[in-house]
Amino acid sequence: VTLILCAFIFSNAIKHRNDAANVISVTGMAERNFESDLIVWKSQFTVKNMNLTTAYAELKKQSESTRHFLESKGIAKKEMTFSAAEITKDYATITSNGNSISTFDGYRLTQQISITSNDVSKIEGISREITELINSGIEITSLAPEYYYTKMADLKIKMLAEASQDGCQRAKTIAENGEASLGRMMNCSMGVFQIVAQNSSEDYSWVGSFNTSSKKKTATITVKLQYQVK
C-alpha cells in the first residue's frame, strides 16, 4: 500500500510539474460613473466676549437663530447635529520698550453644525444662501459640502464581477493568439478601489482614493487573475 501511495504521489507530481510555468497573469478592470446621493454640509459660528457667561448666552442665541433659519429653508431637525461648544481663551501680545506681555483678550466660543441629507440639490442651494445669517450679525463660516454614495457596497460587488469578466476576456485573447487554450483559474486577488472626481486630473493612489469633494464621481477597481494555459 505504501509503494502504491508513493507511486501515485510521484506520478501526480510529474503530471503537474509544469503547472506553475504554464500560467498567464492578467489584470481586469471596471469603471463606473455615478452621482452622490448623500450630502454632508458643515458650518460653524463663533462669538467672543470678556465674560464667559455673556459669551455663552450669545452663542446660544446664535445657535437658535441658525436653527430657525435652516428650518425655514426646509431642513428637518433630524438632519441637523449641533456640536458641543468649544471654549478657548484669546490673548493679545503688547510690546512696550522691547518687552512683550500677553494679556487676556476674551473668551472665544465656537459651535459647529452638521447637516446630513439625501436631498443633495436642496442642501447645495442652502449652503450658498448662508450669507443671510452673516447679514444678520452671525459670524458663521461655511465649509465645502462633502458628497457620499449610500449604495457603495452594491456598486463594488457589480464592479468586481465586471472586472473579473474583463480579466478573463483578456486572458482568453492572449491565450488564443498564442495558439493555446485557457484552463482553470489558479489564483485571484482584488486590486485597488479608487473613487475620483469625474473628468478630473485627480491623482490615483496605490492605497486607494476616496473623493468626497465632488458630487459626480468615477469609480475604478482592478482584479488580478492567474489562469492555467493548456
Side-chain angles (χ1 to χ4, degrees):
V1 173
T2 303
L3 290 174
I4 294 172
L5 182 61
C6 290
F8 173 77
I9 294 173
F10 182 69
S11 62
N12 192 60
I14 293 175
K15 179 181 178 182
H16 296 286
R17 69 187 185 279
N18 293 322
D19 282 358
N22 298 331
V23 297
I24 183 171
S25 299
V26 294
T27 299
M29 189 185 77
E31 182 177 282
R32 284 278 192 101
N33 290 328
F34 65 96
E35 189 167 319
S36 304
D37 61 358
L38 180 73
I39 185 171
V40 177
W41 170 47
K42 297 177 182 178
S43 58
Q44 61 183 31
F45 45 91
T46 304
V47 298
K48 183 177 179 180
N49 197 284
M50 294 296 291
N51 183 278
L52 181 58
T53 303
T54 304
Y56 186 77
E58 179 61 25
L59 185 73
K60 186 176 181 180
K61 180 181 177 182
Q62 291 196 10
S63 176
E64 288 302 312
S65 296
T66 302
R67 187 191 301 275
H68 292 154
F69 169 80
L70 295 173
E71 288 179 350
S72 71
K73 297 295 182 179
I75 298 179
K77 287 183 179 180
K78 65 179 181 180
E79 296 177 321
M80 307 181 211
T81 302
F82 285 82
S83 69
E86 181 181 334
I87 304 172
T88 57
K89 292 181 179 181
D90 282 354
Y91 291 88
T93 301
I94 300 174
T95 303
S96 178
N97 299 324
N99 297 318
S100 297
I101 302 174
S102 294
T103 60
F104 178 65
D105 193 42
Y107 293 97
R108 183 180 296 273
L109 275 64
T110 303
Q111 188 172 34
Q112 187 180 83
I113 177 173
S114 178
I115 310 296
T116 303
S117 175
N118 294 110
D119 196 336
V120 178
S121 298
K122 181 178 73 175
I123 302 303
E124 282 181 323
I126 296 173
S127 69
R128 292 188 287 266
E129 298 172 0
I130 200 66
T131 51
E132 293 181 27
L133 285 173
I134 298 175
N135 294 334
S136 65
I138 297 178
E139 188 180 336
I140 191 166
T141 302
S142 176
L143 305 180
E146 298 174 357
Y147 299 92
Y148 299 92
Y149 188 59
T150 60
K151 303 180 183 68
M152 189 61 69
D154 294 336
L155 177 65
K156 198 171 184 178
I157 290 173
K158 292 177 182 178
M159 291 182 65
L160 277 171
E162 293 172 4
S164 298
Q165 292 173 2
D166 178 66
C168 182
Q169 187 59 49
R170 290 170 188 249
K172 283 182 180 178
T173 301
I174 295 172
E176 290 171 0
N177 280 276
E179 298 182 352
S181 60
L182 204 63
R184 64 188 181 89
M185 183 189 296
M186 304 289 290
N187 191 24
C188 66
S189 62
M190 190 181 81
V192 179
F193 187 56
Q194 310 268 5
I195 298 178
V196 298
Q198 280 186 31
N199 305 316
S200 72
S201 58
E202 191 172 345
D203 292 333
Y204 284 79
S205 169
W206 68 274
V207 294
S209 300
F210 190 82
N211 177 285
T212 59
S213 60
S214 300
K215 180 168 64 174
K216 294 183 178 181
K217 309 177 191 290
T218 298
T220 59
I221 194 169
T222 58
V223 175
K224 295 180 181 180
L225 306 167
Q226 192 175 65
Y227 289 92
Q228 183 182 33
V229 178
K230 296 185 291 184

